[in-house]
Amino acid sequence: MATDYDASRKTEDEQKEESREARRLTSGEQDKTSGKIDEDETELAESYELPGADLSHEELSIEVTPRQNDEFTCTSCFLVQHESRRESPGKDLCRDCA
């Protein structure tokens, strides 16, 4: 077993308490919290309501234009960039990702 010589040393009381806890767990005693059923996180998250988050009646009114001849799609970040942002000719990699 590896020993971390830089770690702070435990006092005798801490070592005794740790060994008591280890003996209790190996003797078959159950942890008091082990029988509890975990709450479903998804169900819990659905119950949260963020302020102003009801956007069901909103419609997007953004016009999406296709990629232009002087643009390329970066193969790393998948953003459409102008040719001047290309790292090197022939590579579809923007300067930020290179």
Side-chain angles (χ1 to χ4, degrees):
M1 180 179 193
T3 304
D4 184 7
Y5 292 103
D6 293 330
S8 60
R9 303 194 186 232
K10 297 180 181 176
T11 64
E12 287 182 30
D13 293 336
E14 289 174 334
Q15 289 176 347
K16 287 178 184 176
E17 181 62 33
E18 199 172 86
S19 64
R20 274 191 221 125
E21 181 70 18
R23 274 185 268 146
R24 184 183 67 79
L25 291 174
T26 55
S27 69
E29 288 185 41
Q30 292 291 326
D31 188 10
K32 293 177 183 173
T33 60
S34 66
K36 292 183 180 179
I37 299 174
D38 293 338
E39 291 184 33
D40 186 16
E41 292 177 5
T42 309
E43 195 174 295
L44 187 62
E46 288 174 355
S47 67
Y48 292 140
E49 190 162 330
L50 300 175
D54 183 20
L55 303 175
S56 59
H57 61 281
E58 295 292 322
E59 288 185 25
L60 295 177
S61 59
I62 299 172
E63 183 180 338
V64 178
T65 58
R67 188 173 53 122
Q68 304 298 311
N69 291 335
D70 62 343
E71 296 176 333
F72 72 98
T73 304
C74 178
T75 55
S76 181
C77 64
F78 302 105
L79 294 175
V80 176
Q81 306 270 352
H82 189 265
E83 285 289 333
S84 63
R85 301 274 305 136
R86 190 184 295 262
E87 176 59 26
S88 62
K91 288 190 175 181
D92 287 340
L93 204 60
C94 69
R95 291 182 183 167
D96 294 332
C97 295

